[in-house]
Amino acid sequence: MATPFITDATHRKIIELMGGFFAYNRNAAIDESVAARVFERRGLDRIHRVECARFRFLYFPKHRDESLVTAEEGESILIASGTFIYRNLCRQESLRSALSDIRNHRFDDSQVFGAFALCCIENDSMTVMMDSAGLYHCFYVVDGSAISSSFTALAHAITGFQTLDHMAVLHNLVLGFSPADLTISSAVRRVTRQRAERIHWTYPCCVSYVKKPSIPELFGAHRWDHVVIQAEHLQGIYRNLRRALPLDAYLGVSGGYDSRLTAVLMQRAGFRIHGFSHRKPGLRSDETVARDIANLMNFPLTVVDTDGVNRRDSDALSHNMHAAFDWFDGRAHHAMEYLKYEYSMAYRQTVHPDSYPVMSGTGGEILRNHNYMPSGGSADLRTWMWYFGADYLSAASITCPEIRRRIEKFWETWIPETLQIEPSSRIRFLDMRRYYTDVWLPDWHGLRNSCENQFSTYLAPFADATVFQYAHGACRWIGCNGAFEADILSNLSPEIANRPSSYGYPLATLPFAARCRARLRCALPAGLKLLAGSLRIAYRTVPRLMDYPEIAQIPILKQTAQDMLDLKLPINLDRLAISREKRVLILSLGFALRRHASNSTLRVTDALKGTSA
């Protein structure tokens, strides 16, 4: 066996956590230079290589890391892409301790934290271990010749023919993200827990996942007992993070629940918070509330006026869209807009001027029920998915009954397989909650998590698997609104819980009318909600997608909208575009397809091939 060795411009053998990686069979039809250019466009321009007899491993430092660090022991090299914490140690010591434990067969899954791909290279073989929540995304070529943290790097580096997966595009429009292992390319798939062991590699490689913790049996006779249990568990997580991370940390602050609870937990754990926020059109209350919380908790807050940036001319919008394509790795998800400045590298460089870790409140939704799922009992899986997984507009926009049946059949296979439950036409309340943690959050937010981790150390502690399982253990006490999470906040800091929020009231004092509306929405069956949505649009005049002023007047948006129409998908894009969020998703996805068609062998349509957005 050949011993692997590292080559880089500085000839250093000690290197750090990476922002991305690309590994491929030396004999594969892969153009390494194209992959390297993709990473360079994403700002990852410092390339390092591990040379092995049958494959080559390329990896790239994060933007905020001046050097890379691997752990080396004998002929083994351990490299982490993303954010990896082991035994509550700092990054370098986490890698060293993990490598020692792996080599001595005592690696402890319960001591792992973060979203990552942990790559271990020993002799001429490679092992990739993924985080238990599936929040860090990796992709592979279907013939088993390559794996990477970047979809675009793989799709563009493949020299063979690729076709567009029209069903993947359709799922993306309906759900707002690409589910399971689907991508827009027939030649590239996303690594998932369910399919990892079925990949047939053409070089010595295997992929596994950190073991998920089980749902604990939480003992408490009353609701407040469970509030205290959750608060204590969260405090323990943040105290452990403080042991592993630097004193200073960034936090995005809004006017809602999660960032406020995160701020309290960080401050109680001893972090020195550096807050940031941005002005949103029509949502000035977010900035006002964020400033109020920052002043009360005595931490600095940077507010960026993105409203003015997002209203610039067509050329500036084009620049935004190209920057967002690179930032989001050529993928388009709901609420991750190509049209906005805040979804770009430049925005991060403004609000994260130093190399501090970044904390996020994402995942805190599991501590409340703002999705108004019915507590207890079960629901028809197809109907529930059209209402909660998709939305009434998507349900009303599918134009082909056969395609609708194919989508529903996919759901009936994909969801039980992911949740590891028996296939059934119905879904239980606990499994509705688990859909959020085990399906939606990894598949949807995993994109954001992976992108943020190319720039800096990024953590979403509420999305940790143990937080999910604790929340599931208390699901009967969550209720049908945000009161449970507000009570956790009140337990930790009554003063912060009683400050105004962007909802129009202090989180600790949910108004009676809001409680009644939430109970009513939980009580209504999903089918009735779908019917109500359909009736809202049945007699409404639906404008053409091309007639929206921002599309008709801006050439790049007009072109991308036309590109999507040219695909002739079995979905009424005019009707889907009634929702601004869906309209932006259509435009973002159309722009991504055009960029891919211009820079890869992916055939989208003849109209797109060989042109540049």
Side-chain angles (χ1 to χ4, degrees):
M1 289 287 195
T3 301
F5 64 92
I6 299 175
T7 62
D8 61 43
T10 58
H11 304 290
R12 278 188 286 223
K13 295 277 281 186
I14 301 291
I15 30 188
E16 197 153 284
L17 295 180
M18 57 186 170
F21 74 93
F22 188 96
Y24 68 100
N25 185 320
R26 287 175 173 273
N27 298 318
I30 296 288
D31 190 333
E32 178 189 308
S33 64
V34 173
R37 284 197 297 273
V38 169
F39 282 102
E40 184 177 1
R41 285 198 302 270
R42 301 181 74 193
L44 303 175
D45 55 357
R46 294 170 292 162
I47 185 170
H48 302 254
R49 293 178 177 86
V50 177
E51 304 284 356
C52 294
R54 296 179 59 184
F55 68 94
R56 176 175 289 163
F57 185 89
L58 284 63
Y59 58 106
F60 308 82
K62 293 188 179 190
H63 289 267
R64 290 307 190 192
D65 285 335
E66 295 181 358
S67 62
L68 271 171
V69 176
T70 61
E72 298 185 52
E73 185 175 311
E75 296 183 352
S76 299
I77 302 171
L78 188 66
I79 312 172
S81 186
T83 296
F84 173 73
I85 296 173
Y86 187 62
R87 299 191 182 278
N88 304 318
L89 299 171
C90 68
R91 297 190 307 173
Q92 173 71 20
E93 292 305 316
S94 285
L95 284 174
R96 288 175 176 163
S97 178
L99 179 55
S100 176
D101 284 359
I102 289 171
R103 296 203 72 193
N104 290 287
H105 307 288
R106 58 169 186 258
F107 186 82
D108 189 346
D109 290 2
S110 68
Q111 295 296 316
V112 175
F113 196 91
F116 56 84
L118 194 64
C119 303
C120 184
I121 300 172
E122 186 168 15
N123 292 327
D124 193 31
S125 66
M126 172 181 171
T127 302
V128 181
M129 183 186 295
M130 312 286 290
D131 65 271
S132 63
L135 285 172
Y136 193 83
H137 287 181
C138 288
F139 303 85
Y140 66 99
V141 180
V142 293
D143 65 6
S145 63
I147 182 173
S148 177
S149 59
S150 169
F151 163 73
T152 300
L154 282 179
H156 290 195
I158 294 172
T159 58
F161 178 72
Q162 303 174 67
T163 57
L164 180 69
D165 188 330
H166 287 79
M167 283 304 296
V169 175
L170 198 60
H171 280 296
N172 201 329
L173 289 170
V174 169
L175 295 173
F177 61 89
S178 297
D181 63 343
L182 298 182
T183 78
I184 61 171
S185 169
S186 61
V188 180
R189 285 294 179 255
R190 182 166 68 86
V191 178
T192 63
R193 183 186 293 271
Q194 292 69 42
R195 306 294 167 88
E197 295 182 356
R198 305 179 202 173
I199 303 172
H200 298 289
W201 301 99
T202 61
Y203 59 96
C205 179
C206 69
V207 179
S208 63
Y209 280 76
V210 173
K211 183 180 178 181
K212 281 187 177 182
S214 58
I215 298 177
E217 185 176 357
L218 304 179
F219 297 98
H222 305 286
R223 180 177 177 278
W224 188 257
D225 295 334
H226 289 272
V227 168
V228 173
I229 290 171
Q230 300 293 328
E232 290 177 348
H233 178 63
L234 290 171
Q235 287 185 93
I237 286 175
Y238 278 82
R239 282 194 297 267
N240 288 338
L241 287 175
R242 177 62 194 90
R243 291 168 58 190
L245 297 173
L247 172 66
D248 296 277
Y250 289 115
L251 172 66
V253 185
S254 67
Y257 289 81
D258 303 329
S259 64
R260 189 177 305 200
L261 180 55
T262 303
V264 169
L265 288 164
M266 288 176 66
Q267 199 165 78
R268 289 175 70 96
F271 284 102
R272 189 159 56 202
I273 301 171
H274 299 260
F276 66 92
S277 188
H278 57 266
R279 296 188 181 98
K280 302 176 184 178
L283 287 175
R284 297 292 184 185
S285 61
D286 261 19
E287 179 191 349
T288 303
V289 173
R291 288 191 185 279
D292 178 50
I293 297 300
N295 290 335
L296 193 63
M297 297 184 67
N298 195 30
F299 62 78
L301 181 72
T302 300
V303 179
V304 179
D305 184 3
T306 58
D307 191 6
V309 176
N310 291 329
R311 293 176 181 273
R312 295 181 299 176
D313 58 27
S314 179
D315 289 341
L317 178 61
S318 175
H319 177 79
N320 272 8
M321 295 182 76
H322 281 286
F325 174 91
D326 293 330
W327 174 255
F328 285 125
D329 192 29
R331 301 160 69 199
H333 282 194
H334 166 79
M336 300 181 191
E337 301 187 16
Y338 278 31
L339 279 61
K340 288 189 174 182
Y341 167 71
E342 51 264 40
Y343 296 110
S344 68
M345 186 69 66
Y347 174 77
R348 267 85 189 156
Q349 291 169 335
T350 299
V351 298
H352 307 158
D354 296 299
S355 58
Y356 306 147
V358 180
M359 295 288 195
S360 169
T362 299
E365 295 91 340
I366 195 59
L367 298 171
R368 58 185 189 274
N369 189 3
H370 275 178
N371 295 311
Y372 308 108
M373 305 176 195
S375 56
S378 63
D380 177 74
L381 175 60
R382 295 184 178 190
T383 304
W384 183 80
M385 274 299 296
W386 279 116
Y387 169 69
F388 175 75
D391 53 60
Y392 71 90
L393 276 176
S394 298
S397 298
I398 297 295
T399 57
C400 174
E402 176 58 30
I403 293 297
R404 185 186 181 98
R405 285 191 290 271
R406 283 182 63 184
I407 291 173
E408 292 172 344
K409 190 68 175 175
F410 174 84
W411 291 345
E412 289 177 340
T413 303
W414 161 53
I415 294 173
E417 181 183 49
T418 305
L419 299 182
Q420 296 182 314
I421 58 177
E422 289 296 322
S424 172
S425 61
R426 301 192 67 78
I427 183 168
R428 302 176 305 152
F429 175 60
L430 176 59
D431 294 328
M432 294 178 194
R433 303 280 295 172
R434 291 185 60 222
Y435 173 85
Y436 171 80
T437 61
D438 295 13
V439 179
W440 183 82
L441 197 66
D443 286 8
W444 173 75
H445 182 71
L447 169 58
R448 168 84 181 275
N449 197 303
S450 301
C451 295
E452 296 283 0
N453 263 303
Q454 72 186 349
F455 183 76
S456 59
T457 299
Y458 176 88
L459 286 162
F462 292 148
D464 179 66
T466 62
V467 174
F468 288 163
Q469 302 302 60
Y470 263 71
H472 293 326
C475 70
R476 63 170 292 201
W477 306 99
I478 297 292
C480 56
N481 48 48
F484 189 83
E485 186 173 1
D487 285 346
I488 295 174
L489 184 59
S490 295
N491 174 269
L492 297 172
S493 177
E495 185 178 16
I496 297 299
N498 281 286
R499 300 303 297 176
S501 73
S502 57
Y503 292 98
Y505 50 80
L507 300 180
T509 55
L510 186 65
F512 177 75
R515 291 178 184 271
C516 291
R517 283 195 301 270
R519 285 189 175 278
L520 179 61
R521 292 181 70 174
C522 271
L524 291 175
L528 189 58
K529 296 174 186 176
L530 275 177
L531 178 62
S534 299
L535 291 175
R536 283 205 297 271
I537 62 172
Y539 302 103
R540 176 177 175 177
T541 301
V542 178
R544 293 174 62 248
L545 175 63
M546 303 297 290
D547 290 343
Y548 286 92
E550 67 272 24
I551 294 175
Q553 296 169 13
I554 301 177
I556 191 171
L557 298 185
K558 186 175 182 179
Q559 180 63 70
T560 53
Q562 187 60 55
D563 289 344
M564 290 299 290
L565 292 170
D566 288 344
L567 292 178
K568 295 181 171 43
L569 296 168
I571 188 168
N572 187 330
L573 293 181
D574 294 337
R575 177 170 288 178
L576 196 65
I578 291 174
S579 161
R580 183 199 171 275
E581 291 182 333
K582 288 288 190 181
R583 191 159 68 247
V584 170
L585 177 61
I586 292 168
L587 296 172
S588 300
L589 189 54
F591 182 84
L593 291 176
R594 177 166 283 269
R595 275 283 303 266
H596 287 304
S598 302
N599 295 283
S600 73
T601 60
L602 176 65
R603 177 166 297 176
V604 179
T605 69
D606 292 336
L608 297 184
K609 194 66 185 173
T611 62
S612 178

